[in-house]
Amino acid sequence: YQRRVRGQLPTFSMASVVKREFFGASPRGVRGFSILMDSSPTHFAYCSTDHIVLRAFEKPHQCEVYRGHQQPTAVRFCPCAPLVCSGDANGVIKVWGLENPSLTRLESKLFAGKVRDIAWSPDGQRLLVCGEGKKVHATIIMAEGGALVSNIEGFTQPVISCDWRPTRPWKFVLSSDDRQVGFYTVGDTIKQEWQREEMDVLTRQTRFSPSGKYFILVGMGKIVIYDADSGERAFELPSEHRGTVCGVCWSSDSDMILTASCDQTVKLWDINEASVAQTFRFSDKKDVKLQQLGVAWGVASMISADLSGNLNMLDFMQPEANRIIPGLSTEVQAMAVDVVTGVVWAGATCDRECKVVGYRTAPSPDQLYGDNVGAISTVTGKGPSVGITGLSVRDGLMAVLSMDGKISMADVTDPFTAHYVHQADGVEVPSKGCIMAANGVVYLATNTHLSIRNYGDGLQQAASVSVKYTPLAMALSPDETELAVSADLGRRGANLGIHLYAVTPSSIEQVGRINGTIYPTRALAYSPDAQMLAAGDDNREVRFYNRSTDWTPELEDYSFHGQRVTSLCWSAAGDRCVSVGLDRGVVVHPVANLKAAAVFEKISASPIAHVEFMNEGLFVTAGTDGTISSFEFK
């Protein structure tokens, strides 16, 4: 990473900051719609919030990302070359290589609306793309150069799924939102074999078998298999699913298919027997979050994706013991590190669901992306429902503050079985943040109050004080006797500074104020010896206020960031402070010489929302794209 050093060199070794681990975001699903997943023999891919994730079946925690789209919606592997075609919500497709994703081989805008599906011709020379156009909802172009081959007309609604027959004679199939299905032959010209309304199948996805003998339609109602030569119905599979079938994929020998349904099951079918060979059931209760919306099949691995974003590694021999890889698909709203268990807890809200996921970093470099490393668990039980505003871990307990007027407490002693143990309401909305202290004491900041709650007393309010400002950031001194709270701008942009409070488990009293800068302070952090308070603001500046000089800043008007500072953390030794911001950079501030800060620009592909030290040489960041990264000093 590019490094800028201003002033003299730091007194400690930080010649470089190296990314050690990267844990990708999960697929983002919409209820009742397919999560479009595609697979090669060794990898599978899916679309997340603002990037495309590629994972290996053997090491699913290890992933690569492609960031050529702001809102990707479709991705397909080329069958004969290391190429990928992807599409987005703006109707743009791109062709890029797996060996060098930064090199775009083709970019073309095909539709006014989103791209819904993509199919490669078997020779990799043509692309069939369908989506939401004004008049044309499906088109064929050349993969090299993007020259138009033909527009496919006759559909009045968006075409949501397409596929190309992998064997000659080449054919392809299209299905739209108005139950229309079209079957076409590709020769010197494109000939329509038939287009008709399949009234008993509201299609969600269509796919040809690898042998080219059949193609399948799945959706609301039935699973229908067609003869790929004649285009006529061959047979129907029994109605084993009790909900819409959203995803389907074939085995490499074309003898079996895998289907994902909104009834919270994935079924493995034997095509020759037209029967279910195995059922993977994820819940006996009606849990919308566990609707299965997509599937992928590698050489020896099967995987499904559900509405909450979990990736489920399916085991044919043990259908009840599936390996689950959780994740987040939206901006990380809060993050906390449990240094005892080595787990990073990150929370986000997606489609009215609050989710807190635990990520474990590797104990040593030789254990990267191994067993029990990466996204390992999701906190279960009755937790927050709207907007996570605070997350804090201490002594095996985790406090989660949310915008539904509640504070939830979770037991995270064993991160693999983390679960909520208590929830209390009555918290003022909007809430701003929380910090846990020893013995289950929690300090809360809301729109007009600072308050204290104790887990030992059922999270009942022990003390409260009203404030005449809007809190932004909080920090608790290491000895847990002082609380610093920054304020948003007051009326007419008045500076309301940083407020200091003397606190005990049952009392809170203001004892001072730091005027600070004229800009809102978004991040606060005490040094381990409590002698310095670091504050990062909207003007890209990080100030270090010294207690011994009556909170006079050590350095003023030095801006090392390019945009707003979002988070700060101190090393355990107290010799350095790390700050991150929306500029995607990391700045390391040596206390011995604050003018010699080391700036690591564009160390992340997305704006960084949070940072915490895991140990003296390792820190963790959370991005606005739902990803978690760890970095080490070299």
Side-chain angles (χ1 to χ4, degrees):
Y1 301 102
Q2 183 180 356
R3 173 175 174 265
R4 278 189 295 121
V5 178
R6 299 182 179 180
Q8 300 177 5
L9 291 175
T11 57
F12 56 88
S13 175
M14 60 173 189
S16 64
V17 170
V18 179
K19 181 178 287 188
R20 187 186 186 204
E21 294 163 293
F22 175 80
F23 304 123
S26 64
R28 185 170 184 176
V30 178
R31 184 176 180 180
F33 288 85
S34 301
I35 291 179
L36 183 58
M37 305 176 68
D38 195 32
S39 63
S40 68
T42 58
H43 290 74
F44 65 96
Y46 59 83
C47 299
S48 191
T49 305
D50 63 353
H51 59 278
I52 294 171
V53 182
L54 294 89
R55 298 178 184 257
F57 282 105
E58 291 187 357
K59 286 189 174 182
H61 287 294
Q62 187 173 5
C63 62
E64 300 289 340
V65 297
Y66 174 73
R67 298 182 181 273
H69 303 279
Q70 291 185 346
Q71 292 179 279
T73 56
V75 58
R76 295 293 293 272
F77 289 100
C78 177
C80 58
L83 299 175
V84 178
C85 182
S86 55
D88 61 29
N90 297 317
V92 176
I93 67 157
K94 294 185 178 183
V95 176
W96 43 279
L98 290 172
E99 298 175 352
N100 186 8
S102 61
L103 179 62
T104 301
R105 299 169 63 99
L106 172 68
E107 180 175 354
S108 179
K109 183 173 177 61
L110 302 180
F111 306 118
K114 67 173 62 174
V115 175
R116 299 293 291 270
D117 202 357
I118 301 167
W120 287 82
S121 64
D123 60 1
Q125 295 185 6
R126 298 173 178 84
L127 288 166
L128 170 63
V129 186
C130 65
E132 302 173 4
K134 292 183 177 179
K135 294 182 179 179
V136 176
H137 302 289
T139 187
I140 299 177
I141 63 172
M142 299 299 294
E144 287 286 344
L148 177 66
V149 176
S150 177
N151 286 326
I152 312 301
E153 300 179 349
F155 293 92
T156 59
Q157 293 294 320
V159 177
I160 63 173
S161 187
C162 65
D163 203 23
W164 200 302
R165 187 182 184 183
T167 59
R168 291 185 182 273
W170 289 346
K171 300 175 183 287
F172 64 87
V173 61
L174 303 171
S175 60
S176 74
D177 259 344
D178 58 358
R179 300 181 187 268
Q180 292 285 331
V181 178
F183 185 60
Y184 303 81
T185 299
V186 180
D188 294 335
T189 60
I190 295 175
K191 177 185 176 182
Q192 183 184 80
E193 296 289 337
W194 51 260
Q195 180 178 334
R196 57 178 179 248
E197 189 174 8
E198 298 287 21
M199 292 299 297
D200 55 346
V201 185
L202 179 55
T203 307
R204 295 289 94 188
Q205 200 167 60
T206 180
R207 290 291 182 263
F208 276 93
S209 63
S211 66
K213 184 178 180 180
Y214 299 113
F215 70 87
I216 188 170
L217 298 181
V218 300
M220 187 183 302
K222 299 179 180 179
I223 302 174
V224 184
I225 296 177
Y226 293 74
D227 184 275
D229 289 318
S230 64
E232 299 302 319
R233 290 195 179 193
F235 55 93
E236 297 178 6
L237 296 181
S239 299
E240 295 286 346
H241 283 295
R242 296 294 181 264
T244 300
V245 181
C246 292
V248 63
C249 62
W250 291 82
S251 63
S252 58
D253 58 8
S254 302
D255 288 336
M256 309 190 86
I257 63 169
L258 198 64
T259 56
S261 172
C262 290
D263 64 1
Q264 305 167 119
T265 66
V266 172
K267 293 185 182 292
L268 180 65
W269 299 79
D270 187 327
I271 293 300
N272 298 321
E273 300 294 333
S275 62
V276 175
Q278 187 61 270
T279 298
F280 304 91
R281 186 175 300 278
F282 295 90
S283 178
D284 293 326
K285 301 178 181 179
K286 292 183 178 180
D287 190 347
V288 174
K289 296 180 294 184
L290 295 180
Q291 290 182 353
Q292 304 299 306
L293 303 182
V295 284
W297 199 333
V299 172
S301 301
M302 299 178 291
I303 192 166
S304 71
D306 59 33
L307 181 59
S308 67
N310 291 339
L311 297 173
N312 308 294
M313 308 297 292
L314 307 177
D315 188 341
F316 177 80
M317 303 304 297
Q318 295 179 311
E320 302 299 329
N322 302 308
R323 180 184 176 189
I324 299 176
I325 302 175
L328 304 174
S329 60
T330 57
E331 176 183 358
V332 178
Q333 295 174 319
M335 186 184 80
V337 168
D338 188 346
V339 295
V340 176
T341 58
V343 174
V344 182
W345 296 100
T349 303
C350 181
D351 294 334
R352 295 176 294 179
E353 179 205 355
C354 290
K355 188 176 183 182
V356 179
V357 176
Y359 300 82
R360 170 170 281 176
T361 58
S364 60
D366 60 340
Q367 294 177 303
L368 295 178
Y369 306 110
D371 294 337
N372 299 327
V373 172
I376 58 173
S377 66
T378 303
V379 183
T380 60
K382 185 179 180 181
S385 59
V386 179
I388 296 176
T389 56
L391 199 68
S392 185
V393 178
R394 179 72 182 268
D395 301 331
L397 291 174
M398 179 169 62
V400 184
L401 185 64
S402 53
M403 291 291 286
D404 54 4
K406 297 178 181 178
I407 179 170
S408 307
M409 194 70 71
D411 182 352
V412 295
T413 306
D414 181 1
F416 294 94
T417 60
H419 59 283
Y420 292 104
V421 294
H422 189 73
Q423 188 176 71
D425 54 13
V427 179
E428 181 188 16
V429 177
S431 55
K432 297 296 182 177
C434 68
I435 297 178
M436 272 200 72
N439 303 317
V441 176
V442 186
Y443 297 96
L444 308 180
T446 58
N447 198 45
T448 59
H449 287 81
L450 301 177
S451 61
I452 304 173
R453 293 180 180 243
N454 196 316
Y455 174 61
D457 296 331
L459 291 176
Q460 297 299 311
Q461 185 167 284
S464 177
V465 59
S466 63
V467 294
K468 297 181 179 179
Y469 58 88
T470 302
L472 278 183
M474 301 172 64
L476 184 65
S477 63
D479 59 3
E480 301 180 357
T481 60
E482 187 175 72
L483 184 70
V485 183
S486 66
D488 202 349
L489 295 180
R491 291 185 177 181
R492 299 180 181 178
N495 171 31
L496 299 182
I498 301 170
H499 301 258
L500 303 177
Y501 296 84
V503 294
T504 68
S506 59
S507 66
I508 180 169
E509 180 182 2
Q510 185 166 0
V511 294
R513 171 182 161 177
I514 303 172
N515 288 329
T517 68
I518 62 174
Y519 299 92
T521 298
R522 303 280 176 177
L524 290 172
Y526 277 98
S527 62
D529 60 2
Q531 291 303 304
M532 299 188 75
L533 177 65
D537 63 26
D538 282 2
N539 194 37
R540 316 175 311 260
E541 185 179 353
V542 178
R543 288 193 176 186
F544 294 84
Y545 298 99
N546 197 320
R547 183 188 298 271
S548 61
T549 58
D550 197 22
W551 301 113
T552 301
E554 292 289 316
L555 196 67
E556 294 185 73
D557 301 326
Y558 270 68
S559 298
F560 295 102
H561 281 279
Q563 294 186 48
R564 172 192 297 173
V565 179
T566 56
S567 186
L568 299 162
C569 66
W570 288 82
S571 65
D575 60 344
R576 71 190 82 174
C577 177
V578 173
S579 62
V580 296
L582 298 182
D583 58 355
R584 302 183 294 164
V586 169
V587 179
V588 183
H589 307 266
V591 175
N593 188 358
L594 292 174
K595 292 182 179 180
V599 182
F600 299 92
E601 296 178 329
K602 298 182 180 179
I603 201 170
S604 171
S606 67
I608 305 174
H610 307 278
V611 62
E612 291 286 349
F613 266 96
M614 179 65 70
N615 54 52
E616 193 65 26
L618 185 72
F619 64 91
V620 183
T621 65
T624 57
D625 57 355
T627 61
I628 303 294
S629 302
S630 68
F631 298 88
E632 59 184 350
F633 294 98
K634 289 288 189 181

